[in-house]
Amino acid sequence: MRRTVSASVIGTIAEYYDFFIYGTAAALVLNDVFFPESDRLVGMLAAFSTYAVGFFARPLGGVVWGHVGDRIGRKRALVFTLLLTGLGTFAVGLMPTYDQIGVWAPIILVLVRLIQGFGVGGEQGGAVLLTAEAAPANRRGFYASFVQLGSPVAYLIPTALFAWLMGTMPNEDFLAWGWRVPFLLSIFVVVIGLYIRLRVPESKTFRAVKEQEAEHRAPLKTLARDHRKEVIGGLLTKFVEAAVFPFYTLFLVAYAEANQLNSQIILDAVIIAIICEIVAIPLLGRLTDRVGRRPVYLVAAVLNLLLIVPALEAVETQNTAIITVALIAGLALGHAGTYAPQASYFPELFPSQARYSGVSVVWQFGAMIASGPFTVASTALMMAGGGSYVWPALYVAVLVVISIVALRFVPETAPARRDGREYADWPVRSLPAAGGDGERGGARP
């Protein structure tokens, strides 16, 4: 269990370091490096557009790698996704700028983002499955939530790196070469993640399904025929988490930059809030084992709705303490309260033979719709409002409300809240060769 959790967490850190590093750079520097001839807001919009491109490749990656994970194995899919994403990030650190090759620079940037998005599309589904399928049912929420640490940790590392570089380097040096350092360092993260991921065993549940030959139907056909409600409901509940994370971590920085406020204060507050979120995620995961996945998710979604305007008002105060408190509430309670349950909630919605595909479709299509256009749309709305936050705030609120409504139609899946029964099939199978006693599972009642 420890090896599986460690491999899933470190592999996810490697993948999301590669993905999030670009978002931080887009908010801070890429508009100057790749779109220097645009005014500040237009350049920021262009940089965020290339950031959004990666999200639109993620659903295709989710479908492809979900099929690979369900038919060939969770572990194999995760090795390929790690390589694709990591090498793409390293390539950004070597790229020539607009001043060197002109318009080809942003074109190459878009291609790299497509490769990254395709890789990340298969990451989270496989990572949570490796852990969720290895965990005992009564502690699945706790163990699976550790995988979710990969995202905030992966965001924390490049954010801290950029904050340090910006604070210690002259601006000319940072724009000339300093911004490349976090991208180039990603190669070490990938090597470590690959080493650990190659050592993790394949999911016992996946091996049980393959040995029993339980289902020959293509995973996507299984989802389309028998699990449409779970797919749509899960996808819509994803909106709140997928929208509020870029809101707190990227848009607030961009809002400060656009209104000539001190964005360094926001970055410092984000780092503190992310550290608090890392502590909160496993605690909230454990809470879902006791009270259920849906109650924790719902309370956190409502909290996010209530915090939208206060977070923006806090940025305008330029008061470090107020901004930090607002971001801790938003990230360590609001975002973590929706993110921690997903690692157990989404896998429990689907049967073993289509679980990788089900989780990936829900995760990546939800992220594409809510996160993909988020930075572009919110920045465009801010421009349309003359720098005001009113329209972006309303945009976030609509996405959060959709998830709150959707949660009323998604079933509770925590076995402790279902008299010990599973919502979907988790096959019973003894696997002596793997050194285990098999897994307890159940059928949909």
Side-chain angles (χ1 to χ4, degrees), residues 343-432:
S344 50
Y345 201 4
F346 292 165
E348 287 172 340
L349 288 171
F350 303 105
S352 301
Q353 64 270 20
R355 186 167 291 137
Y356 200 138
S357 295
V359 174
S360 295
V361 167
V362 164
W363 213 292
Q364 303 309 334
F365 277 89
M368 179 192 73
I369 297 170
S371 282
F374 182 84
T375 50
V376 175
S378 56
T379 303
L381 289 168
M382 181 172 61
M383 291 172 61
S388 170
Y389 66 67
V390 173
W391 288 110
L394 183 61
Y395 173 50
V396 182
V398 169
L399 293 171
V400 174
V401 168
I402 289 173
S403 288
I404 291 173
V405 174
L407 279 166
R408 292 178 54 85
F409 301 96
V410 181
E412 177 59 67
T413 61
R417 304 291 294 174
R418 298 178 59 83
D419 298 324
R421 298 171 299 168
E422 300 281 7
Y423 177 75
D425 298 326
W426 292 67
V428 179
R429 178 70 172 172
S430 177
L431 295 170

Side-chain angles (χ1 to χ4, degrees), residues 177-195:
W177 60 269
W179 67 271
R180 298 180 183 272
V181 173
F183 287 93
L184 296 175
L185 289 177
S186 69
I187 195 68
F188 297 104
V189 182
V190 173
V191 169
I192 294 169
L194 189 62
Y195 172 77

